[in-house]
Amino acid sequence: MYETLQFEHSSTVERVVDELRRALFDGELAPGTPLREVALADAIGVSRSTIREALGTLVAEGLAVRQPNRGVAVNSLKAADVRDVGKARAALETAGVQAWPTARASDKDALRRAFADYTRTAESGTNSSDLTAAHLGVHRALVGLTGSERLLAMADALAAEIRLALAHVARVRRNSGEQVAAHRVLLTLLEGGDVEAAVAELRDHLTHAETSMLEAIKRPRRRKADIQ
Amino acid sequence: MYETLQFEHSSTVERVVDELRRALFDGELAPGTPLREVALADAIGVSRSTIREALGTLVAEGLAVRQPNRGVAVNSLKAADVRDVGKARAALETAGVQAWPTARASDKDALRRAFADYTRTAESGTNSSDLTAAHLGVHRALVGLTGSERLLAMADALAAEIRLALAHVARVRRNSGEQVAAHRVLLTLLEGGDVEAAVAELRDHLTHAETSMLEAIKRPRRRKADIQ
DNA sequence: TACTGTCGGATTGTCAGACAATCCGACAGT
DNA sequence: ACTGTCGGATTGTCTGACAATCCGACAGTA
């Protein structure tokens, strides 16, 4: 009984983390920007302890980096990091695709839904941030095919890094229709049971994504912070 | 110049975390044991803030769990968790094995060294904790073949959970010579370039490991804490 | 000029103490 | 057997403090 009920317990720290994450993803804080404890505490209106804890989780999530005695700053992904994230993504998503034959029906459905969502978002031509989210959702669902929460959590961490990087990069302009088509191919191959081909398609897609991200990272979007 | 120099910066929090981790791995704190902030602060001789931060990282590492307003407790892995960790390990290590043909020479060497280490440790019949560490080292090196730091970090997190579970389980007694042999087979297949067979061997090995862990988890080692 | 020593301000790391909110178990009441 | 209430224990958050560390500027020296 009451299985559907849930109650959101949000601590102050959690809300601070959410707010900081949002600011990072929305590009309000450029990579490398130092996150000063007292300044943030004053700005947000909480104590330094709370900020400190929030910064700790941000660092744990890889969205920020801490240098001992010098504070934490917004993480800025170098080319090497992008490549590293690419390898990690490839590993996780390949595992998901390879698990298709033995995947739970619910996980397969989740993937189908994520793709449908992505298609719809792309067609309705909404905000690019939403599109990114929907796109990442498909890739997340791929990992979900493994049926492992831990792998999903790892995928989420990687996705967060990607979103952070994407927020500070000149618009990655690729034909979104073409993108959707590429994913549809992948899905179709899976539905047809051709795992081998799906893996190849995935690898191809990820390689393209990585090179275009590397390309984009070279020409960072001009921001206020740059000219101060 | 000076590239080889390094200086260890250890903060109080870090040392507390290390100490707690050690206690966890050595089985001094049974799964489920609550980690009270003030009690720990008194025991270790640091302030509550410091303990709090240390507990935060422990939770982030998955070694402990936090229930809002109820504090953190030593994580206790259920059967479902073991299976989940198993899937995650399989994904990461399979990725490593599949990356063998394109792996960096240094990473391959690291694997060879890890295996040599493992062999030596097994032969010299040392402490079982060291043997576990050496064994995990081999599996870590497998993931290392991917050349991704992030995947390595994920593997480390999984290894930590495994060590935690292993610390509170009736001795997993398997012929260690047989174990070493299984790994040797894997290595030999890789050196021979037969990735397919190596993947199969790995999958087999991991399945065995998982079932024996599931088996072991059912009969937890009797501890003082149990009879208090 | 290039390098080294020193100083002050800014910031972090850690501590101590406080208090409300929350949780838990016990106990009493129905 | 279920519900209401109370007190102690514990966490979540805040405030204030201070030493350690870092950074930039400035001066001194070869």
Side-chain angles (χ1 to χ4, degrees):
Chain A
M1 204 164 25
Y2 308 136
E3 280 80 4
T4 67
L5 271 54
Q6 41 187 337
F7 182 76
E8 189 179 351
H9 257 265
S10 70
S11 68
T12 307
V13 173
E14 256 174 278
R15 269 168 298 159
V16 171
V17 172
D18 285 344
E19 173 61 9
L20 289 178
R21 236 194 311 251
R22 188 200 56 72
L24 291 179
F25 290 158
D26 287 1
E28 293 171 16
L29 297 166
T33 305
L35 301 172
R36 304 285 174 210
E37 301 180 349
V38 285
L40 283 175
D42 292 349
I44 304 188
V46 300
S47 84
R48 190 154 79 98
S49 334
T50 304
I51 290 290
R52 202 151 216 286
E53 201 169 327
L55 290 182
T57 62
L58 243 44
V59 168
E61 288 174 3
L63 297 179
V65 294
R66 150 166 287 141
Q67 285 165 303
N69 289 313
R70 309 225 276 123
V72 352
V74 180
N75 190 10
S76 91
L77 270 64
K78 308 302 175 199
D81 293 311
V82 172
R83 273 189 281 269
D84 199 88
V85 170
K87 283 179 192 165
R89 280 183 82 187
L92 300 191
E93 298 185 16
T94 302
V97 168
Q98 288 175 338
W100 172 272
T102 61
R104 282 199 305 254
S106 62
D107 293 329
K108 293 184 184 182
D109 275 342
L111 174 58
R112 293 181 188 114
R113 262 186 320 231
F115 176 67
D117 234 56
Y118 176 41
T119 312
R120 200 174 324 120
T121 312
E123 281 170 356
S124 68
T126 30
N127 165 3
S128 103
S129 165
D130 287 349
L131 187 61
T132 301
H135 182 188
L136 289 178
V138 175
H139 286 272
R140 184 189 139 93
L142 284 177
V143 178
L145 291 174
T146 62
S148 161
E149 312 172 9
R150 280 164 180 78
L151 287 178
L152 264 185
M154 295 172 187
D156 286 340
L158 294 178
E161 287 199 74
I162 292 174
R163 291 189 65 179
L164 176 62
L166 251 36
H168 294 282
V169 126
R171 171 73 66 265
V172 182
R173 246 300 131 253
R174 288 176 297 174
N175 186 325
S176 77
E178 189 180 307
Q179 280 283 305
V180 172
H183 289 78
R184 191 192 315 281
V185 169
L186 182 57
L187 261 283
T188 310
L189 287 173
L190 279 182
E191 298 283 5
D194 192 346
V195 173
E196 284 294 316
V199 169
E201 174 69 23
L202 172 67
R203 235 174 258 292
D204 201 52
H205 173 60
L206 289 181
T207 307
H208 280 306
E210 183 177 318
T211 54
S212 86
M213 262 203 72
L214 281 172
E215 179 58 29
I217 262 198
K218 286 182 196 160
R219 37 192 177 84
R221 187 191 299 179
R222 206 144 281 307
R223 296 192 59 74
K224 266 188 186 172
D226 294 343
I227 52 178
Q228 271 174 354
Chain B
M1 206 165 22
Y2 309 136
E3 280 81 3
T4 66
L5 271 53
Q6 41 187 335
F7 182 76
E8 190 180 350
H9 261 267
S10 71
S11 70
T12 306
V13 173
E14 258 174 274
R15 270 168 295 157
V16 170
V17 172
D18 284 344
E19 173 62 10
L20 289 177
R21 236 195 311 251
R22 188 201 57 72
L24 255 35
F25 291 158
D26 288 359
E28 292 170 18
L29 297 166
T33 307
L35 300 173
R36 303 286 175 210
E37 299 180 348
V38 284
L40 283 175
D42 292 349
I44 303 188
V46 299
S47 85
R48 191 153 81 97
S49 330
T50 304
I51 290 290
R52 201 152 216 285
E53 201 170 326
L55 291 182
T57 62
L58 243 45
V59 169
E61 289 175 2
L63 297 179
V65 293
R66 149 166 288 141
Q67 285 165 303
N69 290 313
R70 306 225 278 123
V72 349
V74 180
N75 190 10
S76 91
L77 270 64
K78 309 299 175 201
D81 294 310
V82 172
R83 272 188 283 268
D84 198 88
V85 170
K87 283 179 192 165
R89 280 184 79 187
L92 300 192
E93 299 185 15
T94 301
V97 169
Q98 288 175 337
W100 172 270
T102 62
R104 282 200 304 255
S106 62
D107 292 330
K108 292 184 183 180
D109 274 341
L111 173 57
R112 295 183 186 112
R113 261 187 321 233
F115 177 67
D117 232 56
Y118 177 40
T119 312
R120 199 174 328 118
T121 311
E123 281 171 356
S124 69
T126 30
N127 164 5
S128 104
S129 165
D130 287 348
L131 187 62
T132 302
H135 181 188
L136 289 178
V138 176
H139 286 272
R140 184 190 139 93
L142 283 178
V143 178
L145 291 174
T146 62
S148 161
E149 314 171 8
R150 281 166 179 76
L151 287 178
L152 264 184
M154 295 171 186
D156 286 340
L158 293 178
E161 287 199 76
I162 292 174
R163 291 190 65 178
L164 176 62
L166 251 36
H168 293 282
V169 124
R171 173 71 66 265
V172 182
R173 247 299 134 254
R174 286 175 299 174
N175 186 326
S176 75
E178 190 179 308
Q179 280 283 305
V180 172
H183 289 77
R184 191 192 313 280
V185 168
L186 182 57
L187 263 283
T188 309
L189 287 173
L190 278 182
E191 297 284 5
D194 192 347
V195 173
E196 284 295 317
V199 169
E201 175 69 23
L202 173 66
R203 235 175 258 292
D204 201 53
H205 174 60
L206 288 180
T207 308
H208 280 306
E210 182 177 317
T211 54
S212 87
M213 264 204 71
L214 282 171
E215 179 59 27
I217 263 198
K218 286 181 196 159
R219 37 192 178 83
R221 185 191 300 178
R222 204 144 284 307
R223 296 194 56 74
K224 265 188 186 173
D226 293 344
I227 53 178
Q228 270 172 355

